[in-house]
Amino acid sequence: MRIESVTYGDGQFAARVDGRSLRADNLLVAAGRRANLSDLGLDTVGLDPSARAVEVDPRMRAADGLWAIGDITGKGAFTHMSMYQSAIAVRDILGKDGPPASYHAVPRVTFTEPEVGSVGMTEKQARDAGLNVRVGTTDLGSSTRGWIHRAEGLINLVEDADRGVLVGATSVGPSGGEVLSMLVTAVHAEIPTATLRSMIYAYPTFHRAVEAALSKLEQA
């Protein structure tokens, strides 16, 4: 899809898209962002300054005596990614042992109303990776607290059915980023969904909707 032009008049936007004219009351511009590596002198250490990101190994090493963290590594433009990677780089610089970087359970939260949190793979990414996928989705209102607050939102779980573990999840609703924390743990540690079903979920909480979504996995 190609946007050819956008104009504004008489209180409306008019866009020309692939030869068609579209009109709208509001226009959301999400142009994205990318790291500017051209002025960092990367060529002096044998790296490509025109690259979209600085390639690093699991210890954050970009070159001999050079470590890189944060947005420029292309692993996710999140503050928590920089904090995670910085701890790994510091350990390596000081010669201390510790786990290498792993990105299979990166949490993402958009602080809108309601909050939108996700971790790991989407259903499409999991299927594209060749996994035997089962999906369980439930409305946040399936939890008593969600019903009390008339909360809008959902819990979506993506399971690798062959291994019986979650590979991705989404939490939308009030405190969606907080509810996501237990799902991040489940994806990161590859906790069996059978174990998640056997847990006791505090009542009444939003995260009880996770229990309902797990039951949907059994029906998928």
Side-chain angles (χ1 to χ4, degrees):
M1 181 178 292
R2 174 179 169 76
I3 300 175
E4 299 168 8
S5 65
V6 176
T7 58
Y8 180 78
D10 299 325
Q12 279 196 322
F13 291 93
R16 189 76 177 169
V17 182
D18 288 342
R20 296 182 302 146
S21 294
L22 304 175
R23 302 188 69 84
D25 295 328
N26 297 287
L27 176 67
L28 173 64
V29 179
R33 60 181 177 178
R34 60 176 296 179
N36 180 9
L37 306 181
S38 60
D39 299 327
L40 298 182
L42 295 182
D43 53 318
T44 65
V45 291
L47 299 180
D48 182 6
S50 65
R52 293 186 63 87
V54 175
E55 293 291 331
V56 293
D57 70 8
R59 301 292 179 182
M60 301 298 106
R61 303 165 186 155
D64 187 28
L66 179 67
W67 292 258
I69 66 168
D71 296 5
I72 63 172
T73 64
K75 301 300 184 182
F78 310 111
T79 301
H80 50 267
M81 180 62 73
S82 298
M83 298 168 71
Y84 171 73
Q85 292 178 326
S86 67
I88 295 172
V90 168
R91 284 200 305 267
D92 195 59
I93 292 170
L94 297 178
K96 295 183 178 180
D97 195 16
S102 175
Y103 303 105
H104 70 284
V106 176
R108 305 170 292 273
V109 183
T110 303
F111 295 97
T112 50
E113 181 59 49
E115 288 182 6
V116 179
S118 62
V119 60
M121 294 180 171
T122 63
E123 178 183 354
K124 182 179 185 304
Q125 288 172 332
R127 293 191 188 283
D128 288 347
L131 301 183
N132 178 16
V133 174
R134 290 198 305 182
V135 177
T137 305
T138 190
D139 189 277
L140 198 63
S142 65
S143 69
T144 301
R145 190 171 183 183
W147 180 84
I148 291 172
H149 288 270
R150 301 295 189 266
E152 295 184 356
L154 57 84
I155 298 293
N156 175 264
L157 307 178
V158 180
E159 180 192 41
D160 177 351
D162 291 339
R163 292 189 297 144
V165 297
L166 297 182
V167 294
T170 302
S171 169
V172 180
S175 302
E178 306 302 324
V179 174
L180 184 70
S181 64
M182 69 169 294
L183 299 172
V184 173
T185 301
V187 174
H188 177 77
E190 300 182 338
I191 299 172
T193 50
T195 300
L196 297 176
R197 291 189 187 94
S198 71
M199 290 170 47
I200 300 174
Y201 292 77
Y203 177 93
T205 58
F206 289 123
H207 75 250
R208 281 188 67 86
V210 173
E211 185 178 33
L214 286 166
S215 69
K216 298 292 181 68
L217 283 176
E218 294 182 312
Q219 303 167 19

